[in-house]
Each structure stands twice: as structure tokens, then as C-alpha cells.
Amino acid sequence: QVQPVESGGGAVQAGGSLKLSCQASRGPWTPSCMGWYRQAPGQERMRVALRETNGKTIYEDSVRGRFTISTDFDANTLSLQMDALKPEDTDMYYCLVGRYCYKGSCYRDCYWGQGTQVNVSS
């Protein structure tokens, strides 16, 4: 079973940078859908960035130009470079590794990491 594990969260001041990383164990298939989501307590999990193997990449409007997703589908790894961080970026961040994307979200065999906390102070 695919099990993603995130690392790299922490506390940073506004304007600073963090890099989140995710390594997933190998499963019986090669993923074609990987991404990063965020979630505040009591809120729905929201997409931050998502990439498919065909190169199609989606960024949430609030992070476009500040965050950069990198992926290696063969190695089951992905990262999120977060620059120019703002206090409103504070959240728990989750990585997603999935078999297929469809219409901007994971469609099949979707596996989540346990989350890593990002705190941005003003």
C-alpha cells in the first residue's frame, strides 16, 4: 500500500520560505497524480497545487507565483517550495499520491500523508 510521509513543516516569519517534502512507499502501480493540500481545523481540505504526469499543473490562486511544486512520479516523491510566506498560509499541509487525476482532483487510489504543520507569523 502507498503510504506518503511529509516532512519540512515548521515556523517561519512572514516573507520567509519553507520547503515541504513527501516520500511515498511504492505500491503496485505508478502514480500519475500528486499534489499538496491544506486544511485548517474544522475546515475542508483545500488544494494548493496538483500535478499530473502529462505536466498539467494547477495552483491555487492565492499561492500562484509564490509556491512551486516539484514531482518525481517514478520515485514517488514530491515537494513544495513555499516562498514569500504570509500569515494566511498557516495551516496543516498534506501530500497526496494518487493513481489518476480527473478534473483537478485525485480520482482513484488516493493516499494522504499524515500532515505537516506550517506556521507563519507576522
Side-chain angles (χ1 to χ4, degrees), residues 1-4 24-34 53 72-77 96-101 106-112:
Q1 179 168 329
V2 177
Q3 180 57 60
S25 55
R26 292 188 178 276
W29 38 263
T30 299
S32 66
C33 180
M34 294 200 291
T53 47
D72 185 335
F73 287 93
D74 291 330
N76 280 25
T77 62
L96 163 73
V97 175
R99 191 165 185 179
Y100 301 115
C101 282
C106 183
Y107 168 67
R108 181 178 172 180
D109 295 329
C110 310
Y111 294 90
W112 298 91

PDB file of all heavy atoms in Angstrom, residues 1-4 24-34 53 72-77 96-101 106-112:
ATOM      1  N   GLN A   1       0.842  -1.187   0.000  1.00  0.00           N
ATOM      2  CA  GLN A   1       0.000   0.000   0.000  1.00  0.00           C
ATOM      3  C   GLN A   1       0.875   1.234   0.000  1.00  0.00           C
ATOM      4  O   GLN A   1       1.889   1.288   0.676  1.00  0.00           O
ATOM      5  CB  GLN A   1      -0.907  -0.003   1.228  1.00  0.00           C
ATOM      6  CG  GLN A   1      -1.806   1.214   1.328  1.00  0.00           C
ATOM      7  CD  GLN A   1      -2.882   1.053   2.372  1.00  0.00           C
ATOM      8  OE1 GLN A   1      -3.340  -0.047   2.627  1.00  0.00           O
ATOM      9  NE2 GLN A   1      -3.284   2.156   2.957  1.00  0.00           N
ATOM     10  N   VAL A   2       0.460   2.243  -0.751  1.00  0.00           N
ATOM     11  CA  VAL A   2       1.197   3.500  -0.824  1.00  0.00           C
ATOM     12  C   VAL A   2       0.976   4.290   0.461  1.00  0.00           C
ATOM     13  O   VAL A   2      -0.157   4.516   0.875  1.00  0.00           O
ATOM     14  CB  VAL A   2       0.716   4.317  -2.035  1.00  0.00           C
ATOM     15  CG1 VAL A   2       1.417   5.659  -2.077  1.00  0.00           C
ATOM     16  CG2 VAL A   2       0.949   3.539  -3.327  1.00  0.00           C
ATOM     17  N   GLN A   3       2.075   4.701   1.095  1.00  0.00           N
ATOM     18  CA  GLN A   3       1.983   5.499   2.306  1.00  0.00           C
ATOM     19  C   GLN A   3       2.882   6.723   2.175  1.00  0.00           C
ATOM     20  O   GLN A   3       4.093   6.622   2.290  1.00  0.00           O
ATOM     21  CB  GLN A   3       2.395   4.688   3.526  1.00  0.00           C
ATOM     22  CG  GLN A   3       2.325   5.470   4.836  1.00  0.00           C
ATOM     23  CD  GLN A   3       0.946   6.036   5.085  1.00  0.00           C
ATOM     24  OE1 GLN A   3      -0.045   5.310   5.191  1.00  0.00           O
ATOM     25  NE2 GLN A   3       0.856   7.361   5.199  1.00  0.00           N
ATOM     26  N   PRO A   4       2.288   7.903   1.942  1.00  0.00           N
ATOM     27  CA  PRO A   4       3.099   9.113   1.862  1.00  0.00           C
ATOM     28  C   PRO A   4       3.481   9.619   3.246  1.00  0.00           C
ATOM     29  O   PRO A   4       2.684   9.523   4.187  1.00  0.00           O
ATOM     30  CB  PRO A   4       2.164  10.114   1.163  1.00  0.00           C
ATOM     31  CG  PRO A   4       1.018   9.310   0.647  1.00  0.00           C
ATOM     32  CD  PRO A   4       0.909   8.130   1.549  1.00  0.00           C
ATOM     33  N   ALA A  24       6.675   8.711  -0.724  1.00  0.00           N
ATOM     34  CA  ALA A  24       5.657   7.674  -0.591  1.00  0.00           C
ATOM     35  C   ALA A  24       6.262   6.306  -0.887  1.00  0.00           C
ATOM     36  O   ALA A  24       7.075   6.167  -1.802  1.00  0.00           O
ATOM     37  CB  ALA A  24       4.493   7.942  -1.532  1.00  0.00           C
ATOM     38  N   SER A  25       5.849   5.336  -0.103  1.00  0.00           N
ATOM     39  CA  SER A  25       6.272   3.962  -0.363  1.00  0.00           C
ATOM     40  C   SER A  25       5.674   3.493  -1.691  1.00  0.00           C
ATOM     41  O   SER A  25       4.633   3.997  -2.126  1.00  0.00           O
ATOM     42  CB  SER A  25       5.822   3.044   0.776  1.00  0.00           C
ATOM     43  OG  SER A  25       4.421   3.156   0.970  1.00  0.00           O
ATOM     44  N   ARG A  26       6.345   2.560  -2.318  1.00  0.00           N
ATOM     45  CA  ARG A  26       5.881   2.084  -3.624  1.00  0.00           C
ATOM     46  C   ARG A  26       4.716   1.131  -3.468  1.00  0.00           C
ATOM     47  O   ARG A  26       4.681   0.306  -2.561  1.00  0.00           O
ATOM     48  CB  ARG A  26       7.033   1.405  -4.352  1.00  0.00           C
ATOM     49  CG  ARG A  26       8.132   2.364  -4.769  1.00  0.00           C
ATOM     50  CD  ARG A  26       9.159   1.682  -5.646  1.00  0.00           C
ATOM     51  NE  ARG A  26      10.192   2.622  -6.080  1.00  0.00           N
ATOM     52  CZ  ARG A  26      10.060   3.409  -7.125  1.00  0.00           C
ATOM     53  NH1 ARG A  26       8.950   3.373  -7.840  1.00  0.00           N
ATOM     54  NH2 ARG A  26      11.028   4.226  -7.473  1.00  0.00           N
ATOM     55  N   GLY A  27       3.784   1.257  -4.384  1.00  0.00           N
ATOM     56  CA  GLY A  27       2.654   0.351  -4.431  1.00  0.00           C
ATOM     57  C   GLY A  27       2.690  -0.457  -5.721  1.00  0.00           C
ATOM     58  O   GLY A  27       3.700  -0.470  -6.421  1.00  0.00           O
ATOM     59  N   PRO A  28       1.593  -1.093  -6.051  1.00  0.00           N
ATOM     60  CA  PRO A  28       1.545  -1.931  -7.244  1.00  0.00           C
ATOM     61  C   PRO A  28       1.404  -1.142  -8.540  1.00  0.00           C
ATOM     62  O   PRO A  28       1.390  -1.740  -9.616  1.00  0.00           O
ATOM     63  CB  PRO A  28       0.320  -2.811  -6.999  1.00  0.00           C
ATOM     64  CG  PRO A  28      -0.554  -1.991  -6.115  1.00  0.00           C
ATOM     65  CD  PRO A  28       0.385  -1.187  -5.241  1.00  0.00           C
ATOM     66  N   TRP A  29       1.304   0.178  -8.459  1.00  0.00           N
ATOM     67  CA  TRP A  29       1.146   1.000  -9.654  1.00  0.00           C
ATOM     68  C   TRP A  29       1.989   2.265  -9.517  1.00  0.00           C
ATOM     69  O   TRP A  29       2.365   2.645  -8.405  1.00  0.00           O
ATOM     70  CB  TRP A  29      -0.319   1.378  -9.894  1.00  0.00           C
ATOM     71  CG  TRP A  29      -1.079   1.686  -8.643  1.00  0.00           C
ATOM     72  CD1 TRP A  29      -1.888   0.829  -7.948  1.00  0.00           C
ATOM     73  CD2 TRP A  29      -1.083   2.917  -7.905  1.00  0.00           C
ATOM     74  NE1 TRP A  29      -2.396   1.457  -6.836  1.00  0.00           N
ATOM     75  CE2 TRP A  29      -1.927   2.734  -6.791  1.00  0.00           C
ATOM     76  CE3 TRP A  29      -0.476   4.168  -8.095  1.00  0.00           C
ATOM     77  CZ2 TRP A  29      -2.162   3.740  -5.867  1.00  0.00           C
ATOM     78  CZ3 TRP A  29      -0.709   5.171  -7.176  1.00  0.00           C
ATOM     79  CH2 TRP A  29      -1.547   4.946  -6.070  1.00  0.00           C
ATOM     80  N   THR A  30       2.288   2.891 -10.645  1.00  0.00           N
ATOM     81  CA  THR A  30       2.994   4.168 -10.646  1.00  0.00           C
ATOM     82  C   THR A  30       1.974   5.292 -10.612  1.00  0.00           C
ATOM     83  O   THR A  30       1.064   5.323 -11.440  1.00  0.00           O
ATOM     84  CB  THR A  30       3.854   4.302 -11.911  1.00  0.00           C
ATOM     85  OG1 THR A  30       4.821   3.249 -11.931  1.00  0.00           O
ATOM     86  CG2 THR A  30       4.588   5.645 -11.914  1.00  0.00           C
ATOM     87  N   PRO A  31       2.097   6.208  -9.678  1.00  0.00           N
ATOM     88  CA  PRO A  31       1.107   7.287  -9.595  1.00  0.00           C
ATOM     89  C   PRO A  31       1.166   8.210 -10.797  1.00  0.00           C
ATOM     90  O   PRO A  31       2.223   8.389 -11.411  1.00  0.00           O
ATOM     91  CB  PRO A  31       1.491   8.019  -8.311  1.00  0.00           C
ATOM     92  CG  PRO A  31       2.944   7.737  -8.131  1.00  0.00           C
ATOM     93  CD  PRO A  31       3.145   6.350  -8.661  1.00  0.00           C
ATOM     94  N   SER A  32       0.048   8.810 -11.131  1.00  0.00           N
ATOM     95  CA  SER A  32       0.014   9.824 -12.178  1.00  0.00           C
ATOM     96  C   SER A  32      -0.607  11.117 -11.675  1.00  0.00           C
ATOM     97  O   SER A  32      -0.873  12.023 -12.470  1.00  0.00           O
ATOM     98  CB  SER A  32      -0.772   9.312 -13.397  1.00  0.00           C
ATOM     99  OG  SER A  32      -2.141   9.128 -13.070  1.00  0.00           O
ATOM    100  N   CYS A  33      -0.796  11.204 -10.365  1.00  0.00           N
ATOM    101  CA  CYS A  33      -1.461  12.359  -9.758  1.00  0.00           C
ATOM    102  C   CYS A  33      -0.824  12.600  -8.396  1.00  0.00           C
ATOM    103  O   CYS A  33      -0.917  11.738  -7.519  1.00  0.00           O
ATOM    104  CB  CYS A  33      -2.947  12.059  -9.610  1.00  0.00           C
ATOM    105  SG  CYS A  33      -3.925  13.381  -8.884  1.00  0.00           S
ATOM    106  N   MET A  34      -0.176  13.750  -8.228  1.00  0.00           N
ATOM    107  CA  MET A  34       0.432  14.072  -6.935  1.00  0.00           C
ATOM    108  C   MET A  34       0.219  15.545  -6.645  1.00  0.00           C
ATOM    109  O   MET A  34       0.213  16.378  -7.555  1.00  0.00           O
ATOM    110  CB  MET A  34       1.929  13.732  -6.925  1.00  0.00           C
ATOM    111  CG  MET A  34       2.211  12.244  -7.047  1.00  0.00           C
ATOM    112  SD  MET A  34       3.856  11.744  -6.468  1.00  0.00           S
ATOM    113  CE  MET A  34       4.892  12.466  -7.715  1.00  0.00           C
ATOM    114  N   THR A  53       1.058  13.458 -14.582  1.00  0.00           N
ATOM    115  CA  THR A  53       2.249  13.025 -15.316  1.00  0.00           C
ATOM    116  C   THR A  53       2.369  13.686 -16.681  1.00  0.00           C
ATOM    117  O   THR A  53       3.461  13.760 -17.234  1.00  0.00           O
ATOM    118  CB  THR A  53       2.257  11.497 -15.503  1.00  0.00           C
ATOM    119  OG1 THR A  53       0.969  11.073 -15.967  1.00  0.00           O
ATOM    120  CG2 THR A  53       2.571  10.798 -14.199  1.00  0.00           C
ATOM    121  N   ASP A  72       8.455  13.745  -8.810  1.00  0.00           N
ATOM    122  CA  ASP A  72       9.159  12.657  -9.481  1.00  0.00           C
ATOM    123  C   ASP A  72       8.233  11.451  -9.373  1.00  0.00           C
ATOM    124  O   ASP A  72       8.227  10.763  -8.354  1.00  0.00           O
ATOM    125  CB  ASP A  72      10.514  12.393  -8.834  1.00  0.00           C
ATOM    126  CG  ASP A  72      11.329  11.362  -9.578  1.00  0.00           C
ATOM    127  OD1 ASP A  72      10.732  10.508 -10.277  1.00  0.00           O
ATOM    128  OD2 ASP A  72      12.557  11.362  -9.470  1.00  0.00           O
ATOM    129  N   PHE A  73       7.501  11.200 -10.425  1.00  0.00           N
ATOM    130  CA  PHE A  73       6.480  10.151 -10.367  1.00  0.00           C
ATOM    131  C   PHE A  73       7.107   8.760 -10.296  1.00  0.00           C
ATOM    132  O   PHE A  73       6.538   7.853  -9.689  1.00  0.00           O
ATOM    133  CB  PHE A  73       5.551  10.263 -11.575  1.00  0.00           C
ATOM    134  CG  PHE A  73       4.623  11.435 -11.499  1.00  0.00           C
ATOM    135  CD1 PHE A  73       4.958  12.647 -12.072  1.00  0.00           C
ATOM    136  CD2 PHE A  73       3.410  11.327 -10.848  1.00  0.00           C
ATOM    137  CE1 PHE A  73       4.113  13.737 -11.991  1.00  0.00           C
ATOM    138  CE2 PHE A  73       2.546  12.411 -10.759  1.00  0.00           C
ATOM    139  CZ  PHE A  73       2.898  13.616 -11.336  1.00  0.00           C
ATOM    140  N   ASP A  74       8.250   8.601 -10.896  1.00  0.00           N
ATOM    141  CA  ASP A  74       8.898   7.279 -10.842  1.00  0.00           C
ATOM    142  C   ASP A  74       9.427   6.959  -9.449  1.00  0.00           C
ATOM    143  O   ASP A  74       9.483   5.799  -9.055  1.00  0.00           O
ATOM    144  CB  ASP A  74      10.035   7.216 -11.858  1.00  0.00           C
ATOM    145  CG  ASP A  74       9.532   7.216 -13.290  1.00  0.00           C
ATOM    146  OD1 ASP A  74       8.405   6.705 -13.518  1.00  0.00           O
ATOM    147  OD2 ASP A  74      10.244   7.731 -14.172  1.00  0.00           O
ATOM    148  N   ALA A  75       9.828   8.004  -8.725  1.00  0.00           N
ATOM    149  CA  ALA A  75      10.386   7.808  -7.389  1.00  0.00           C
ATOM    150  C   ALA A  75       9.349   8.005  -6.288  1.00  0.00           C
ATOM    151  O   ALA A  75       9.668   7.836  -5.107  1.00  0.00           O
ATOM    152  CB  ALA A  75      11.551   8.777  -7.161  1.00  0.00           C
ATOM    153  N   ASN A  76       8.128   8.327  -6.633  1.00  0.00           N
ATOM    154  CA  ASN A  76       7.068   8.571  -5.638  1.00  0.00           C
ATOM    155  C   ASN A  76       7.438   9.686  -4.673  1.00  0.00           C
ATOM    156  O   ASN A  76       7.187   9.572  -3.460  1.00  0.00           O
ATOM    157  CB  ASN A  76       6.750   7.289  -4.854  1.00  0.00           C
ATOM    158  CG  ASN A  76       5.841   6.355  -5.617  1.00  0.00           C
ATOM    159  OD1 ASN A  76       5.801   6.385  -6.831  1.00  0.00           O
ATOM    160  ND2 ASN A  76       5.127   5.504  -4.893  1.00  0.00           N
ATOM    161  N   THR A  77       8.041  10.745  -5.175  1.00  0.00           N
ATOM    162  CA  THR A  77       8.387  11.875  -4.316  1.00  0.00           C
ATOM    163  C   THR A  77       7.839  13.174  -4.888  1.00  0.00           C
ATOM    164  O   THR A  77       7.666  13.313  -6.106  1.00  0.00           O
ATOM    165  CB  THR A  77       9.907  12.009  -4.149  1.00  0.00           C
ATOM    166  OG1 THR A  77      10.505  12.266  -5.431  1.00  0.00           O
ATOM    167  CG2 THR A  77      10.519  10.751  -3.551  1.00  0.00           C
ATOM    168  N   LEU A  96      -0.524  14.341  -1.320  1.00  0.00           N
ATOM    169  CA  LEU A  96      -1.421  13.372  -1.940  1.00  0.00           C
ATOM    170  C   LEU A  96      -0.670  12.616  -3.029  1.00  0.00           C
ATOM    171  O   LEU A  96       0.006  13.227  -3.858  1.00  0.00           O
ATOM    172  CB  LEU A  96      -2.610  14.101  -2.566  1.00  0.00           C
ATOM    173  CG  LEU A  96      -3.433  13.319  -3.586  1.00  0.00           C
ATOM    174  CD1 LEU A  96      -4.266  12.267  -2.875  1.00  0.00           C
ATOM    175  CD2 LEU A  96      -4.302  14.247  -4.400  1.00  0.00           C
ATOM    176  N   VAL A  97      -0.796  11.329  -3.020  1.00  0.00           N
ATOM    177  CA  VAL A  97      -0.262  10.494  -4.097  1.00  0.00           C
ATOM    178  C   VAL A  97      -1.407   9.631  -4.590  1.00  0.00           C
ATOM    179  O   VAL A  97      -2.026   8.899  -3.811  1.00  0.00           O
ATOM    180  CB  VAL A  97       0.905   9.616  -3.597  1.00  0.00           C
ATOM    181  CG1 VAL A  97       1.375   8.671  -4.701  1.00  0.00           C
ATOM    182  CG2 VAL A  97       2.054  10.484  -3.124  1.00  0.00           C
ATOM    183  N   GLY A  98      -1.709   9.739  -5.884  1.00  0.00           N
ATOM    184  CA  GLY A  98      -2.857   9.029  -6.403  1.00  0.00           C
ATOM    185  C   GLY A  98      -2.602   8.379  -7.742  1.00  0.00           C
ATOM    186  O   GLY A  98      -1.666   8.733  -8.468  1.00  0.00           O
ATOM    187  N   ARG A  99      -3.453   7.447  -8.066  1.00  0.00           N
ATOM    188  CA  ARG A  99      -3.275   6.713  -9.301  1.00  0.00           C
ATOM    189  C   ARG A  99      -3.675   7.553 -10.511  1.00  0.00           C
ATOM    190  O   ARG A  99      -3.005   7.523 -11.546  1.00  0.00           O
ATOM    191  CB  ARG A  99      -4.088   5.420  -9.262  1.00  0.00           C
ATOM    192  CG  ARG A  99      -3.759   4.465 -10.377  1.00  0.00           C
ATOM    193  CD  ARG A  99      -4.308   3.102 -10.067  1.00  0.00           C
ATOM    194  NE  ARG A  99      -3.906   2.126 -11.071  1.00  0.00           N
ATOM    195  CZ  ARG A  99      -4.233   0.840 -11.020  1.00  0.00           C
ATOM    196  NH1 ARG A  99      -4.971   0.377 -10.023  1.00  0.00           N
ATOM    197  NH2 ARG A  99      -3.836   0.026 -11.962  1.00  0.00           N
ATOM    198  N   TYR A 100      -4.772   8.285 -10.392  1.00  0.00           N
ATOM    199  CA  TYR A 100      -5.239   9.110 -11.509  1.00  0.00           C
ATOM    200  C   TYR A 100      -5.768  10.450 -11.000  1.00  0.00           C
ATOM    201  O   TYR A 100      -6.327  10.522  -9.901  1.00  0.00           O
ATOM    202  CB  TYR A 100      -6.381   8.420 -12.270  1.00  0.00           C
ATOM    203  CG  TYR A 100      -6.047   7.088 -12.859  1.00  0.00           C
ATOM    204  CD1 TYR A 100      -6.686   5.931 -12.404  1.00  0.00           C
ATOM    205  CD2 TYR A 100      -5.097   6.958 -13.873  1.00  0.00           C
ATOM    206  CE1 TYR A 100      -6.389   4.694 -12.950  1.00  0.00           C
ATOM    207  CE2 TYR A 100      -4.795   5.720 -14.414  1.00  0.00           C
ATOM    208  CZ  TYR A 100      -5.439   4.599 -13.942  1.00  0.00           C
ATOM    209  OH  TYR A 100      -5.131   3.366 -14.479  1.00  0.00           O
ATOM    210  N   CYS A 101      -5.580  11.481 -11.796  1.00  0.00           N
ATOM    211  CA  CYS A 101      -6.249  12.757 -11.593  1.00  0.00           C
ATOM    212  C   CYS A 101      -7.414  12.839 -12.569  1.00  0.00           C
ATOM    213  O   CYS A 101      -7.357  12.289 -13.668  1.00  0.00           O
ATOM    214  CB  CYS A 101      -5.304  13.929 -11.886  1.00  0.00           C
ATOM    215  SG  CYS A 101      -4.116  14.336 -10.615  1.00  0.00           S
ATOM    216  N   CYS A 106      -7.806  14.108  -7.282  1.00  0.00           N
ATOM    217  CA  CYS A 106      -7.472  12.692  -7.379  1.00  0.00           C
ATOM    218  C   CYS A 106      -8.737  11.891  -7.599  1.00  0.00           C
ATOM    219  O   CYS A 106      -9.768  12.131  -6.952  1.00  0.00           O
ATOM    220  CB  CYS A 106      -6.754  12.241  -6.113  1.00  0.00           C
ATOM    221  SG  CYS A 106      -6.233  10.520  -6.171  1.00  0.00           S
ATOM    222  N   TYR A 107      -8.647  10.930  -8.493  1.00  0.00           N
ATOM    223  CA  TYR A 107      -9.829  10.197  -8.922  1.00  0.00           C
ATOM    224  C   TYR A 107      -9.856   8.774  -8.412  1.00  0.00           C
ATOM    225  O   TYR A 107     -10.925   8.222  -8.133  1.00  0.00           O
ATOM    226  CB  TYR A 107      -9.864  10.222 -10.444  1.00  0.00           C
ATOM    227  CG  TYR A 107     -10.848   9.292 -11.092  1.00  0.00           C
ATOM    228  CD1 TYR A 107     -12.212   9.496 -10.943  1.00  0.00           C
ATOM    229  CD2 TYR A 107     -10.415   8.235 -11.874  1.00  0.00           C
ATOM    230  CE1 TYR A 107     -13.136   8.643 -11.547  1.00  0.00           C
ATOM    231  CE2 TYR A 107     -11.320   7.382 -12.479  1.00  0.00           C
ATOM    232  CZ  TYR A 107     -12.680   7.592 -12.315  1.00  0.00           C
ATOM    233  OH  TYR A 107     -13.572   6.759 -12.912  1.00  0.00           O
ATOM    234  N   ARG A 108      -8.681   8.174  -8.250  1.00  0.00           N
ATOM    235  CA  ARG A 108      -8.673   6.758  -7.888  1.00  0.00           C
ATOM    236  C   ARG A 108      -7.423   6.428  -7.102  1.00  0.00           C
ATOM    237  O   ARG A 108      -6.347   6.920  -7.423  1.00  0.00           O
ATOM    238  CB  ARG A 108      -8.748   5.907  -9.149  1.00  0.00           C
ATOM    239  CG  ARG A 108      -8.773   4.407  -8.890  1.00  0.00           C
ATOM    240  CD  ARG A 108      -8.897   3.637 -10.171  1.00  0.00           C
ATOM    241  NE  ARG A 108      -8.745   2.210  -9.974  1.00  0.00           N
ATOM    242  CZ  ARG A 108      -8.808   1.302 -10.939  1.00  0.00           C
ATOM    243  NH1 ARG A 108      -9.022   1.696 -12.193  1.00  0.00           N
ATOM    244  NH2 ARG A 108      -8.653   0.037 -10.682  1.00  0.00           N
ATOM    245  N   ASP A 109      -7.584   5.578  -6.105  1.00  0.00           N
ATOM    246  CA  ASP A 109      -6.451   5.140  -5.282  1.00  0.00           C
ATOM    247  C   ASP A 109      -5.688   6.351  -4.771  1.00  0.00           C
ATOM    248  O   ASP A 109      -4.520   6.562  -5.095  1.00  0.00           O
ATOM    249  CB  ASP A 109      -5.524   4.224  -6.071  1.00  0.00           C
ATOM    250  CG  ASP A 109      -6.201   2.922  -6.468  1.00  0.00           C
ATOM    251  OD1 ASP A 109      -7.071   2.460  -5.717  1.00  0.00           O
ATOM    252  OD2 ASP A 109      -5.848   2.381  -7.528  1.00  0.00           O
ATOM    253  N   CYS A 110      -6.336   7.119  -3.934  1.00  0.00           N
ATOM    254  CA  CYS A 110      -5.788   8.370  -3.419  1.00  0.00           C
ATOM    255  C   CYS A 110      -5.288   8.162  -2.003  1.00  0.00           C
ATOM    256  O   CYS A 110      -6.050   7.745  -1.135  1.00  0.00           O
ATOM    257  CB  CYS A 110      -6.859   9.461  -3.427  1.00  0.00           C
ATOM    258  SG  CYS A 110      -7.714   9.629  -5.013  1.00  0.00           S
ATOM    259  N   TYR A 111      -4.018   8.461  -1.785  1.00  0.00           N
ATOM    260  CA  TYR A 111      -3.403   8.245  -0.480  1.00  0.00           C
ATOM    261  C   TYR A 111      -2.850   9.560   0.064  1.00  0.00           C
ATOM    262  O   TYR A 111      -2.224  10.325  -0.661  1.00  0.00           O
ATOM    263  CB  TYR A 111      -2.285   7.201  -0.577  1.00  0.00           C
ATOM    264  CG  TYR A 111      -2.809   5.825  -0.915  1.00  0.00           C
ATOM    265  CD1 TYR A 111      -2.942   5.407  -2.225  1.00  0.00           C
ATOM    266  CD2 TYR A 111      -3.210   4.955   0.098  1.00  0.00           C
ATOM    267  CE1 TYR A 111      -3.445   4.165  -2.539  1.00  0.00           C
ATOM    268  CE2 TYR A 111      -3.713   3.699  -0.204  1.00  0.00           C
ATOM    269  CZ  TYR A 111      -3.834   3.310  -1.523  1.00  0.00           C
ATOM    270  OH  TYR A 111      -4.346   2.072  -1.809  1.00  0.00           O
ATOM    271  N   TRP A 112      -3.087   9.755   1.348  1.00  0.00           N
ATOM    272  CA  TRP A 112      -2.696  11.000   2.010  1.00  0.00           C
ATOM    273  C   TRP A 112      -1.620  10.752   3.049  1.00  0.00           C
ATOM    274  O   TRP A 112      -1.617   9.718   3.721  1.00  0.00           O
ATOM    275  CB  TRP A 112      -3.900  11.618   2.708  1.00  0.00           C
ATOM    276  CG  TRP A 112      -5.008  11.990   1.795  1.00  0.00           C
ATOM    277  CD1 TRP A 112      -6.067  11.218   1.428  1.00  0.00           C
ATOM    278  CD2 TRP A 112      -5.162  13.229   1.104  1.00  0.00           C
ATOM    279  NE1 TRP A 112      -6.885  11.899   0.549  1.00  0.00           N
ATOM    280  CE2 TRP A 112      -6.353  13.147   0.348  1.00  0.00           C
ATOM    281  CE3 TRP A 112      -4.424  14.420   1.062  1.00  0.00           C
ATOM    282  CZ2 TRP A 112      -6.809  14.192  -0.450  1.00  0.00           C
ATOM    283  CZ3 TRP A 112      -4.887  15.462   0.280  1.00  0.00           C
ATOM    284  CH2 TRP A 112      -6.067  15.346  -0.468  1.00  0.00           C
TER     285      TRP A 112
END
